[in-house]
Amino acid sequence: MTGARQLRLAVIGAGASGLMALIRLREAGFQDVTIYEKAETLGGTWRDNRYPGVTCDVPSHGYRYSFEPNAEWSRVCAPGDEILDYLKNVARKYDLERSIRFGEEVSSARWCDGRWEIETTSGPQGAFDAVVTATGVLHHPNYPDIPGIDTFEGDAFHTARWKDGLSLKGKRVGVIGTGSTATQITGALVPEVAHYALFQRTAQWIAPLPQGPIPEEQKALFRERPDLLQAEYERISHENNSKFAAAIVGANPRAYEKLVQVCRDYLETSVRDPELRAKLTPTYAVGCKRLILSENFYEAIQHPNAELVTDRIERIEERGIRTADGRLHELDVIVFATGFDTHKLMRPMEARGQDGRTLDEVWAEGNQGYLAVTVPGFPNWFMIGGPNSPIGNFSWLLTAENQFGYALKLIQRLARGNVSEIAPKREASRRFNEQIREALPGTVWATGCSSWYIDRHGNIASWPWTFEKFEADMSEPQWDDFEMA
Ligand code: NA7
């Protein structure tokens, strides 16, 4: 980066997106980059989620960095620990850990005299020219507000806080929730435990996705032929983006109809008992909640030791869960598969922008930014996974790379030296959010269901357009939409 200003940069979070940002920043010539990571190790969601059966629901050859192919994935959908190993290997290869400060949670970021003053739980860290937030979406566990939750005498924990080393063999296990997490746990735990009770508040649509092992010959072929490995990555991305992602935002009605049919047929042919099938049949549109991909849930829930409980949970007691029909479901372990607060984003950190207002204040009526990457009044503040990111559409790694590619262009502009502050114009942000509001009613997320895409104000947090539009918007900043000083 000869002739350019060396910037001091902070990245918040050492999950998949923060690691990628560090690699890209170093490649672009930025040497003074620090990642602040609240935990003691890297990996983000793949570090936190260690529950039995944890797996990615994007096929493994499509869920990797574009610049780091991997011929070794063991299964069509990689298990969580394998993805964590992949991230660790990438970190080792690029010598990333020397730039990561572990166990340092950023508690505040304050715009002061043209730089960001950062403070972590261990104290002030000084001033930075720009901040990249890479804090993820699925990391604040949501605990259910059930009376008596603290009275249970057995083990009780959230899926993202799995009790390592606890054997569930021969135990009576109750799982609350029926999202992707609970579905994966069901497939993994039913064969192992004595009794398995799944407490369902809302039935979920499931599409079948084969997740089995990748044969050795296939791996050997991919090792020898990187071109084929690359073609597989592109095929999976294209398949997902042109069919599923386009279908849910209303841009491919034929693909959507097919998706509906596939889910209906899968339920119909997999669940024989009409009473159980009725309980498992959702009353909302396919894809309104995040679609579940599974190859073993329906089979597992019909196993003789498994029970689907649809009576409302009344309270938790010393010995188990009491449902509204008066029955006490006696349990040894209760698992809260109750999801995450997806709208907190980088908070509880206090971020205070140009005019002294915090993000909490600016976002009091819901999170809003400009193109999901920047926020008016917060100069040199770049978000991977900011408001209205495509959280339910494309592979997260592809999303993160596109968003960071865009942010990098803004950072490089700062490094050129004639500009030291970049923030989106309020008018540009207003226009973007207006377009979001116009587009969202055409998406399946707005057809009437509760989901983690929707915040408490009723705003839908995802990207309501196609991948092509996302890629085009992220390809080059519209410089007229920014204020620069
Ligand atoms: P989700 O998809 O948010 O699912 C949470 C589940 O927990 C869902 O079935 C909820 O029912 C249920 N839930 C939440 N609170 C309660 C209470 N109080 N009582 C009963 N049931 C409750 O989280 P996951 O962890 O499964 O998946 C998150 C994402 O991770 C997933 O989409 C993938 O992208 C990976 P509800 O539907 O609200 O009635």
Side-chain angles (χ1 to χ4, degrees):
M1 257 206 346
T2 40
R5 198 158 70 96
Q6 259 305 341
L7 304 178
R8 187 173 185 225
L9 303 171
V11 176
I12 306 176
S17 2
L19 299 175
M20 175 273 299
L22 176 56
I23 294 170
R24 289 296 201 211
L25 284 167
R26 283 204 197 145
E27 270 172 9
F30 295 96
Q31 295 306 324
D32 191 356
V33 186
T34 305
I35 296 190
Y36 290 99
E37 166 55 53
K38 66 182 174 187
E40 296 300 333
T41 54
L42 58 79
T45 197
W46 300 110
R47 173 202 60 220
D48 288 351
N49 285 283
R50 297 185 305 273
Y51 57 82
V54 58
T55 181
C56 189
D57 57 9
V58 175
S60 33
H61 284 297
Y63 190 85
R64 47 94 158 165
Y65 296 128
S66 62
F67 53 90
E68 273 304 320
N70 175 27
E72 310 305 325
W73 296 120
S74 68
R75 303 180 72 83
V76 176
C77 287
D81 56 356
E82 216 173 296
I83 299 172
L84 184 59
D85 283 346
Y86 169 82
L87 295 175
K88 285 180 181 166
N89 287 337
V90 170
R92 211 169 294 125
K93 175 173 168 183
Y94 290 85
D95 189 20
L96 299 184
E97 292 213 8
R98 69 178 160 87
S99 301
I100 307 176
R101 300 276 304 275
F102 289 107
E104 299 265 11
E105 178 167 1
V106 175
S107 45
S108 79
R110 184 180 292 257
W111 182 253
C112 199
D113 298 330
R115 297 181 93 195
W116 284 103
E117 295 275 357
I118 286 192
E119 192 159 336
T120 67
T121 33
S122 62
Q125 304 297 316
F128 291 80
D129 297 294
V131 172
V132 176
T133 67
T135 46
V137 177
L138 299 159
H139 62 116
H140 297 290
N142 174 43
Y143 287 90
D145 185 14
I146 299 173
I149 193 164
D150 295 326
T151 61
F152 183 59
E153 284 173 349
D155 284 302
F157 44 83
H158 189 274
T159 50
R161 300 288 180 269
W162 198 264
K163 199 164 173 189
D164 291 328
L166 177 72
S167 168
L168 296 179
K169 206 169 164 30
K171 297 221 166 116
R172 299 163 302 175
V173 178
V175 174
I176 301 177
T178 48
S180 302
T181 303
T183 308
Q184 293 180 355
I185 289 178
T186 304
L189 276 192
V190 163
E192 189 184 324
V193 301
H195 179 72
Y196 184 88
L198 183 66
F199 293 83
Q200 170 183 288
R201 186 164 69 180
T202 313
Q204 303 257 13
W205 285 113
I206 302 179
L209 178 71
Q211 296 167 335
I214 294 178
E216 282 307 315
E217 311 81 70
Q218 175 87 74
K219 290 190 212 167
L221 182 65
F222 281 151
R223 260 177 235 131
E224 280 163 29
R225 295 280 310 272
D227 58 321
L228 295 183
L229 190 54
Q230 181 61 20
E232 181 65 352
Y233 171 72
E234 285 164 17
R235 186 192 67 75
I236 293 169
S237 303
H238 178 73
E239 187 81 358
N240 180 62
N241 298 339
S242 65
K243 294 192 179 149
F244 172 71
I248 56 174
V249 296
N252 187 344
R254 279 189 59 183
Y256 183 72
E257 276 167 35
K258 189 155 180 229
L259 187 64
V260 171
Q261 203 53 51
V262 164
C263 293
R264 289 196 180 281
D265 289 351
Y266 185 43
L267 175 60
E268 189 73 27
T269 55
S270 309
V271 182
R272 292 169 295 275
D273 173 13
E275 203 178 314
L276 179 63
R277 197 163 60 233
K279 286 181 177 176
L280 288 168
T281 305
T283 52
Y284 54 86
V286 170
C288 184
K289 283 176 184 287
R290 160 99 185 195
L291 183 67
I292 293 173
L293 298 151
S294 172
E295 64 171 357
N296 57 14
F297 173 77
Y298 287 141
E299 187 189 330
I301 201 66
Q302 294 174 85
H303 202 268
N305 68 336
E307 182 185 6
L308 182 75
V309 182
T310 53
D311 292 290
R312 187 176 54 78
I313 295 175
E314 198 163 84
R315 60 178 182 272
I316 294 179
E317 302 181 358
E318 289 86 341
R319 289 186 298 127
I321 295 178
R322 177 87 61 184
T323 41
D325 57 350
R327 182 174 158 203
L328 175 67
H329 301 258
E330 294 205 31
L331 300 164
D332 302 306
V333 177
I334 297 177
V335 175
F336 303 116
T338 41
F340 300 86
D341 181 343
T342 47
H343 309 284
K344 261 186 163 173
L345 301 180
M346 65 286 292
R347 291 164 288 179
M349 167 208 314
E350 185 192 81
R352 199 173 281 279
Q354 223 165 17
D355 58 5
R357 295 173 76 208
T358 62
L359 267 184
D360 273 339
E361 288 162 351
V362 174
W363 288 348
E365 299 299 314
N367 306 340
Q368 279 195 5
Y370 168 66
L371 282 177
V373 179
T374 56
V375 193
F378 288 71
N380 307 357
W381 177 268
F382 306 111
M383 300 173 291
I384 303 176
N388 294 102
S389 286
I391 45 176
N393 323 32
F394 326 127
S395 155
W396 178 253
L397 298 190
L398 193 57
T399 296
E401 283 192 44
N402 273 276
Q403 290 184 329
F404 189 68
Y406 176 91
L408 184 56
K409 292 198 166 97
L410 299 168
I411 295 170
Q412 283 170 320
R413 182 77 188 249
L414 293 173
R416 268 184 243 138
N418 50 347
V419 159
S420 58
E421 295 180 19
I422 296 184
K425 291 179 181 162
R426 285 179 204 281
E427 172 52 26
S429 182
R430 194 203 53 74
R431 199 174 58 236
F432 172 69
N433 285 288
E434 189 59 43
Q435 288 163 356
I436 290 263
R437 272 191 295 279
E438 279 166 20
L440 277 166
T443 68
V444 71
W445 305 309
T447 53
C449 70
S450 68
S451 79
W452 59 260
Y453 301 133
I454 304 177
D455 72 10
R456 65 195 163 87
H457 308 283
N459 305 310
I460 301 177
S462 201
W463 176 266
W465 300 290
T466 60
F467 182 74
E468 287 71 28
K469 175 165 164 50
F470 176 66
E471 211 175 23
D473 284 349
M474 292 294 102
S475 64
E476 184 66 28
Q478 297 290 317
W479 295 103
D480 287 349
D481 283 348
F482 288 91
E483 280 166 353
M484 294 184 238

